[in-house]
Amino acid sequence: MKPREIVDLIIEAAQEKKGYDILALEVGKLLPLCDYFVILSGNNPIQVKAIAEHIEKKLAEQGVNLLHREGFQEGRWILLDFGDVVVHVFLEEEREFYGLERLWRDAPVFRKEAAQFG
């Protein structure tokens, strides 16, 4: 599967679990580790975990293997590393505090989904 297809699948899976404020950044020219960051928010630790688990499941069904996962226990900022695509699932306050969008503001936006939670 191509990285852009993986990004689309991640966004679809996140939306199915009511992830919101979804942003995909093309970081490949700025960061040699991966091609895309997908950044999104959840309302509480339970939802953040559910979103992360759903993304993992949907990608595994398509043969995309998870290489590394961090932060699952706390459910405040979960990082999912799929190689070419790295996913950051945040609680809103953690996302604001760490400001990945500000840190990587020079990266082109590949896709933005301003889906509302509810």
Side-chain angles (χ1 to χ4, degrees):
M1 213 174 209
K2 294 179 182 177
R4 286 180 178 232
E5 295 171 323
I6 293 170
V7 169
D8 289 338
L9 191 58
I10 289 165
I11 290 172
E12 180 183 308
Q15 288 174 329
E16 288 172 0
K17 291 296 179 180
K18 307 293 186 206
Y20 64 95
D21 199 13
I22 303 169
L23 180 65
L25 299 174
E26 204 169 337
V27 296
K29 293 180 182 172
L30 304 171
L31 183 69
L33 301 175
C34 65
D35 293 332
Y36 297 94
F37 277 171
V38 178
I39 303 168
L40 64 123
S41 297
N43 292 314
N44 56 59
I46 293 169
Q47 184 189 25
V48 168
K49 289 179 183 182
I51 293 167
E53 286 178 328
H54 193 62
I55 291 169
E56 287 180 45
K57 178 183 175 220
K58 286 289 196 175
L59 269 64
E61 289 171 356
Q62 296 299 316
V64 180
N65 296 320
L66 178 67
L67 302 178
H68 185 72
R69 174 172 72 173
E70 288 185 27
F72 190 82
Q73 284 292 94
E74 297 80 21
R76 300 185 63 76
W77 174 7
I78 299 175
L79 180 140
L80 304 172
D81 181 355
F82 293 100
D84 292 330
V85 182
V86 174
V87 182
H88 302 271
V89 186
F90 282 103
L91 281 179
E92 189 64 39
E93 57 266 21
E94 298 293 317
R95 184 174 179 172
E96 288 176 23
F97 179 79
Y98 288 102
L100 293 186
E101 290 98 329
R102 288 186 309 274
L103 183 62
W104 297 103
R105 70 178 165 261
D106 293 335
V109 174
F110 168 61
R111 188 164 161 196
K112 184 171 184 158
E113 300 292 330
Q116 296 297 315
F117 58 93

